[in-house]
Amino acid sequence: MPNSTEIESLVIECVRMLSKDFEIDALADVKKDSLLYGEGGPLDSMALVNLIADIEDAVAEQYGATITLADERALSAKRSPFRSVADLSQAIMERLPE
C-alpha cells in the first residue's frame, strides 16, 4: 500500500486537475496545507463531490483499493476530513486496507 507522501501527491494532483476544470485560481498552487472546503476553503459542494469521486477513482486505479471518503465517519467527524489537503490525505490513509 502507498505511504502518506504518495497519497498526499495523489490528492494534490487531483486538486490541480479539479482547479483547472472548475477554474479555481485559489488552488492553482495547491500545497499540503491548502484549505479545500469549509471556512476559508475555495471549494463549493459541487466541486467537493467531484474531487471526492476523482480521488476514489485514482486510488482504485493506482492502488487497486476501493475506498469511500464520504462515509458516516467523515460526516460525523468534529474536524472535517475535507478541510485541507493534509486532512483529506489522512482520511484516505485511514480508509486504505493494510
Side-chain angles (χ1 to χ4, degrees):
M1 279 295 120
N3 62 37
S4 60
T5 302
E6 292 168 324
I7 291 300
E8 189 178 289
S9 294
L10 180 143
V11 171
I12 287 173
E13 183 58 29
C14 287
V15 171
R16 280 192 184 125
M17 289 189 302
L18 183 88
S19 74
K20 289 180 185 175
D21 291 345
F22 281 72
E23 298 178 358
I24 304 170
D25 294 337
L27 291 174
D29 188 29
V30 64
K31 297 179 175 77
K32 178 180 180 180
D33 60 348
S34 295
L35 295 177
L36 297 174
Y37 184 74
E39 187 175 334
L43 298 183
D44 61 18
S45 56
M46 179 63 89
L48 178 63
V49 168
N50 278 277
L51 178 61
I52 290 169
D54 290 347
I55 289 172
E56 289 174 346
D57 288 347
V59 168
E61 184 176 306
Q62 291 186 28
Y63 304 111
T66 301
I67 61 169
T68 301
L69 289 168
D71 58 11
E72 187 171 314
R73 183 168 46 171
L75 300 177
S76 64
K78 286 185 178 182
R79 182 176 171 94
S80 171
F82 312 119
R83 181 163 169 67
S84 70
V85 169
D87 292 329
L88 188 50
S89 298
Q90 181 62 38
I92 294 167
M93 291 299 294
E94 292 171 359
R95 286 160 176 81
L96 284 172
E98 293 184 23

